[in-house]
Amino acid sequence: MPHLAIDGLNASYKNLKVLHDICLDVERSEVVSLIGPSGSGKSTLLRTLVGVNKPTSGKVTLAQRTLDYSSASSLKQARDSMAIVFQQYNLFQNMTVIGNVTIAPLKIKKWQRAEVEEHAHSLLQKVGLGHKLKAYPDELSGGQQQRVAIARALALKPQLLLLDEITSALDPELVGEVLDIIRGLARDGMTMLIVSHEMGFVREVSSRVVMMDQGRIVEIGTPQQIFDAPKETRTRDFTARVLSH
Amino acid sequence: MIETILSEIPRFFTWPNLVFLGEAAGRTLMLSVVGCLIGFTLGFVLACIRQTRNPWLAPLRVAAIAYTEIFRRIPFLVILFLVLFAIQVVAPNASLFAIALVSVTIVSTAFLSEIVRAGFDSVPRQQVEAAEVMNFSRWQIIHMIVAPQAWKVILPPGFAFMVMFIKDTALASQVGVVELTFTGKILSNRGFSATLTFGTILLAYFILSYPLTRLGRYLEIRLASPRH
């Protein structure tokens, strides 16, 4: 039984159909990357999975539980076991680094303070920000903010981590520091669904790659298959274009 | 003219007159400060209602929006008269001061709720989304994330509104509340120079509103940065 099973998922945004019949399984400890041109529905798929966008139909099963997006309690339960990191970091600007990382575990999950703080310290150490605990988001670089956002997501001990173009807003020299952390997570067996434009990274870190276009899945395969021997012309065109520069 | 005014000064600034003026100033201040504080509290509640997403609360949201939109568009004087006559039904013995206070509250609730809403809206939507996905409740989002960042946007216009309202409470003299402006009329009717009387009233309004402006400025600086 896959950890995450998406079956026939459809979603609309302002009367525009943005996801068409998405079917995708993600096994535990698998890293699945979504690639495709802008507007192909990659980010929408992640946002729909966490319920920021509401699906119009389809079935999502997470850890053997079918999710009902119209039910607050079902959504709450699902959100309890997944975390998402956004392109724009979305840190709480009124809180310090450590505040951002500990608030949800303390106030929402109501875990023990001592444990939460220790975990937060070790996570921030891991992302190389052990010296910035008391800093505010606006005092940090984009790369640092994104690393805080990753620590904040990991502090929730998610069973599934969604990464939505987490390096797209970063200066090129800051991309590496963020991707290194994700590589580490993949090695540790974190189940991840990643939207990324960093093709080298996608190829290296993914168990499988999903090519999307116009709200549909075009092709699913191993990185080698998608990048070296794509079956679909659309995939071939896309990879040829992004890999040529 | 200057001589007449100067000669009246000793007769004007007598202890009973000063007490009379002081009480009136107190009433003016109470009307605006208490009215605006209650108005702020209620306005905050209205703004919170407007933040809800639950479909069952839709009627409440509509009511909150309707209230804000209607009462921001009615002249304060009209509301005063409306309350003056409408209140007879529920509380025939209500004092004129109570009537004026209720009127101030009605108007300030509408204006301040709009100011609070604008403050809430100034906080980037993405932070709210991030919190939603982490299972924060609507109230936790307002209380822990949105409100702390919204204060700096809410306070300057909020205080400006209250200071402005100190002047508008003069209209309460129209229904007979003995506040500053009404006191001015009484004193000038007693034969004191209108220039001297209303000059003093003018000064009194300034003395009331200036410290509030300063307080607003102080709070603005204190709360402007997220660091505590």
Side-chain angles (χ1 to χ4, degrees):
Chain A
M1 203 49 194
H3 183 55
L4 170 74
I6 307 168
D7 188 12
L9 191 72
N10 288 283
S12 301
Y13 183 73
K14 291 182 179 161
N15 295 325
L16 187 72
K17 204 152 180 237
V18 284
L19 290 180
H20 297 266
D21 202 25
I22 300 294
C23 297
L24 177 66
D25 288 350
V26 179
E27 301 290 339
R28 220 170 253 288
S29 294
E30 214 184 3
V31 177
V32 174
S33 295
L34 306 173
I35 61 168
S38 300
S40 57
K42 310 172 303 278
S43 292
T44 309
L45 178 55
L46 296 196
R47 293 168 62 84
T48 307
L49 285 175
V50 294
V52 177
N53 278 11
K54 300 284 181 228
T56 44
S57 66
K59 191 172 147 194
V60 175
T61 312
L62 180 65
Q64 275 82 55
R65 270 202 202 93
T66 302
L67 245 140
D68 177 1
Y69 284 97
S70 59
S71 145
S73 62
S74 169
L75 186 55
K76 204 169 159 146
Q77 192 177 48
R79 283 171 168 175
D80 217 31
S81 66
M82 51 184 166
I84 183 167
V85 182
F86 299 91
Q87 182 176 351
Q88 296 294 341
Y89 348 123
N90 302 7
L91 294 179
F92 306 132
Q93 298 293 320
N94 59 319
M95 296 174 204
T96 57
V97 164
I98 189 78
N100 263 284
V101 177
T102 56
I103 184 159
L106 287 177
K107 305 285 179 179
I108 311 301
K109 303 226 177 203
K110 306 211 185 297
W111 289 338
Q112 288 292 321
R113 178 172 285 275
E115 262 171 57
V116 166
E117 281 176 352
E118 199 190 309
H119 187 214
H121 282 152
S122 76
L123 284 172
L124 286 164
Q125 207 75 52
K126 196 165 145 189
V127 299
L129 289 170
H131 59 299
K132 291 281 188 188
L133 301 182
K134 299 281 176 221
Y136 281 84
D138 61 3
E139 298 166 335
L140 302 176
S141 72
Q144 289 173 325
Q145 290 195 54
Q146 194 56 291
R147 285 185 278 154
V148 175
I150 293 168
R152 179 173 72 171
L154 293 176
L156 298 163
K157 302 185 179 163
Q159 304 289 306
L160 172 65
L161 185 61
L162 310 175
L163 306 176
D164 187 7
E165 300 195 28
I166 57 167
T167 57
S168 298
L170 302 180
D171 290 340
E173 69 264 33
L174 301 177
V175 168
E177 62 187 38
V178 171
L179 293 186
D180 280 342
I181 294 164
I182 307 306
R183 282 189 189 98
L185 289 175
R187 271 196 302 275
D188 295 347
M190 173 68 77
T191 313
M192 289 187 278
L193 195 50
I194 302 177
V195 172
S196 180
H197 290 296
E198 302 289 335
M199 292 305 153
F201 169 75
V202 164
R203 186 183 186 128
E204 167 202 336
V205 84
S206 312
S207 341
R208 280 183 304 149
V209 177
V210 178
M211 167 71 196
M212 286 185 74
D213 190 29
Q214 296 180 348
R216 291 187 171 82
I217 290 181
V218 175
E219 186 171 357
I220 304 179
T222 61
Q224 290 72 25
Q225 190 184 328
I226 294 289
F227 290 108
D228 300 337
K231 290 197 194 95
E232 303 290 327
T233 2
R234 188 69 193 88
T235 314
R236 199 172 312 136
D237 290 349
F238 178 75
T239 50
R241 198 141 17 92
V242 291
L243 295 178
S244 69
H245 53 210
Chain B
M1 183 172 147
I2 297 290
E3 290 84 62
T4 25
I5 290 175
L6 287 176
S7 67
E8 266 183 32
I9 282 180
R11 267 197 308 126
F12 185 81
F13 290 106
T14 56
W15 185 243
N17 273 2
L18 285 176
V19 171
F20 190 45
L21 276 168
E23 282 175 358
R27 242 168 256 131
T28 289
L29 191 65
M30 286 287 280
L31 268 186
S32 26
V33 172
V34 176
C36 285
L37 281 179
I38 303 174
F40 181 80
T41 313
L42 297 178
F44 192 89
V45 173
L46 286 191
C48 289
I49 289 174
R50 289 176 72 171
Q51 292 284 310
T52 59
R53 295 286 174 272
N54 190 327
W56 294 102
L57 296 177
L60 266 181
R61 281 196 292 276
V62 172
I65 294 169
Y67 180 92
T68 319
E69 292 306 315
I70 292 168
F71 286 99
R72 281 193 306 146
R73 285 169 173 76
I74 303 177
F76 180 52
L77 192 56
V78 175
I79 289 177
L80 261 174
F81 283 128
L82 199 69
V83 175
L84 179 66
F85 295 113
I87 213 163
Q88 305 297 333
V89 184
V90 277
N93 297 323
S95 69
L96 288 172
F97 180 80
I99 289 168
L101 187 61
V102 169
S103 310
V104 173
T105 306
I106 288 175
V107 177
S108 64
T109 300
F111 274 94
L112 291 168
S113 106
E114 193 62 8
I115 289 171
V116 173
R117 184 198 60 78
F120 284 178
D121 285 355
S122 73
V123 178
R125 175 84 205 126
Q126 293 94 319
Q127 288 183 44
V128 175
E129 263 171 20
E132 277 172 357
V133 173
M134 289 195 270
N135 272 334
F136 283 66
S137 70
R138 190 61 49 191
W139 167 245
Q140 285 170 322
I141 292 176
I142 292 176
H143 155 72
M144 296 176 185
I145 295 150
V146 174
Q149 296 178 68
W151 286 126
K152 62 173 185 232
V153 180
I154 293 172
L155 277 178
F159 264 87
F161 175 80
M162 185 157 79
V163 170
M164 187 201 77
F165 223 85
I166 289 181
K167 299 175 292 164
D168 283 6
T169 55
L171 288 167
S173 64
Q174 292 292 314
V175 297
V177 179
V178 188
E179 44 65 74
L180 271 175
T181 304
F182 199 83
T183 311
K185 281 192 216 165
I186 294 175
L187 288 174
S188 93
N189 283 346
R190 283 188 196 160
F192 291 109
S193 146
T195 312
L196 176 62
T197 312
F198 284 104
T200 310
I201 300 292
L202 179 150
L203 203 66
Y205 273 113
F206 179 80
I207 291 168
L208 289 186
S209 55
Y210 189 68
L212 278 176
T213 312
R214 295 303 306 234
L215 176 64
R217 185 83 196 107
Y218 169 76
L219 288 176
E220 205 181 306
I221 293 166
R222 271 288 307 267
L223 295 169
S225 79
R227 296 123 181 80
H228 300 295

